[in-house]
Amino acid sequence: MTYISVIDLLASDAIHQEFTVKGWVRSFRANQFIALNDGSTIKNIQCVVDYENMDDALLNRVNTGAAIVVTGILEESQGAGQRVEIKVKSIEIEGDADPEEVKLTILSPKRHTLEKLREQAHLRVRTNTFGAIMRMRSKLSFAVHQYFNEHGFYQAHTPMITGSDAEGAGEMFQITGLDLENLPKKEDGSIDYSQDFFGKETNLTVSGQLEAETYALGLGKVYTFGPTFRAENSNTSRHLAEFWMIEPEVAFNDLDANMDLAEDFIKYVISYVLEHCQDDLEFLEKRLLEEDKKKPQAERSTMLLREKLEFVINNNFKRVSYTEAIAILRNSKPNKKKKFQYLIDEWGADLQSEHERYLVEKHFECPVILFDYPANIKAFYMRLNEDGKTVRAMDILFPGIGEIVGGSQREERLDVLKEKMAALDIPEEELWWYLDTRKFGTCVHSGFGLGFERLVLFATGMTNIRDVIPYPRFPGHAEF
């Protein structure tokens, strides 16, 4: 039996023709009106039942959450709120849903908190909120690949298992095939990883950047888009233990070209969802307005969700040096009145989320690109400037999010790179293959990393990063 999706059916002009549609019952009113949804759109198709000529036993099984197959005639709707509806000829129950169990789940009309919904991740995507978020996540993912494909990039599938720490942070998940109850030991008592599966200590990756660099120095323009992992014991609304990263690397690009690429890329993917996700954006915008009503006036959004997205794509990002940003923050009212949790006293401070959001939301009132950070707060692979104290790093800051992109021009000079690694006690033998890229036709090259969930967070207007990934992983939680 062929069938049509709800989104296509709602757009159809084939009035008086017969269609079959499959989906889940959202509601069944007056034993006559079924609201059916199949996940293809936030909107339901109304199916009108002639209950006097329909088997009562069958209708008793049409409960909220049940999967059903409806065949009927598409007609112009007589009621408000929909253009077309289905006049039902037959109903087939594909899967029952016990009404007593439904009352206890997210499928019941009673509103649940977002935290409660995370406890039922196998069902939460059936709600309007999470259906909208996950459809937008999918569209954003497609837009990412489409942008890079249109701009001549090649996708590099970098490994999730690695023997190196790209960030130098040490917050990695270790993987092993050793028997944890009977670990092999060396004479000094340390674990003998030579007997492990890979013959060395290995971890889940925090970034595909270093590997992407090797590909950029052969293919020119590459990008990675895959899962990354941080063993950071953080329970904030901005952190996950498992998340997806977008990391382009481009040979012959300097920092200015890198900033141009990042800004153009972000505007492209946001434009894509504005064009292709209007129904979901409309719903999430209304949801955000309702949430704002519960907040103090000072904490409410100054723009509607779609206005905020349009503002980003229609305005140039403000480019500001770290040094200039520190001067602005040091002289700001929150700093002088000690309202910041982390006060800015001197040049060299590592900016916190509160500082980033102040620059974006209060001072410049637009997305900001900060560049030329102090070398001692950035990674070893970032190119050292001529002043000897700053590096060619850049971060893009967004309202409500803070940092959404982090990138840099990479240090292509072998001697300088070795000096920086030595200063940070990073063994050369661990990254011999990375150092080799500076020996065989090295060149200026740059790249950045964009946390995909933070992009989804911004595009959907949600406030907790755990709500924009299907199965959130955070300290103490690896359910499903």
Side-chain angles (χ1 to χ4, degrees), residues 211-281:
E211 292 86 354
E213 280 190 56
T214 67
Y215 267 68
L217 296 174
L219 295 179
K221 297 195 288 187
V222 302
Y223 74 102
T224 76
F225 187 3
T228 50
F229 309 85
R230 296 280 171 94
E232 183 178 355
N233 190 15
S234 174
N235 269 298
T236 75
S237 62
R238 298 174 65 244
H239 291 92
L240 289 166
E242 177 187 77
F243 54 98
W244 287 67
M245 283 286 285
I246 302 157
E247 297 176 293
E249 287 289 330
V250 185
F252 307 107
N253 261 16
D254 61 10
L255 186 68
D256 289 328
N258 200 37
M259 290 190 282
D260 290 342
L261 173 65
E263 181 172 347
D264 189 59
F265 167 70
I266 290 174
K267 288 181 175 180
Y268 179 97
V269 295
I270 290 177
S271 296
Y272 187 89
V273 292
L274 272 170
E275 181 180 351
H276 293 91
C277 300
Q278 277 297 322
D279 288 341
D280 289 325
L281 281 168

Side-chain angles (χ1 to χ4, degrees), residues 35-81:
L36 194 68
N37 189 280
D38 67 354
S40 61
T41 171
I42 198 166
K43 294 180 177 179
N44 306 319
I45 183 74
Q46 178 167 277
C47 306
V48 183
V49 178
D50 181 5
Y51 60 89
E52 293 181 348
N53 295 303
M54 194 73 69
D55 180 46
D56 286 341
L58 178 66
L59 293 181
N60 287 337
R61 296 172 65 193
V62 182
N63 298 309
T64 299
I68 65 173
V69 180
V70 173
T71 298
I73 306 300
L74 188 67
E75 302 283 6
E76 293 180 357
S77 179
Q78 302 303 307

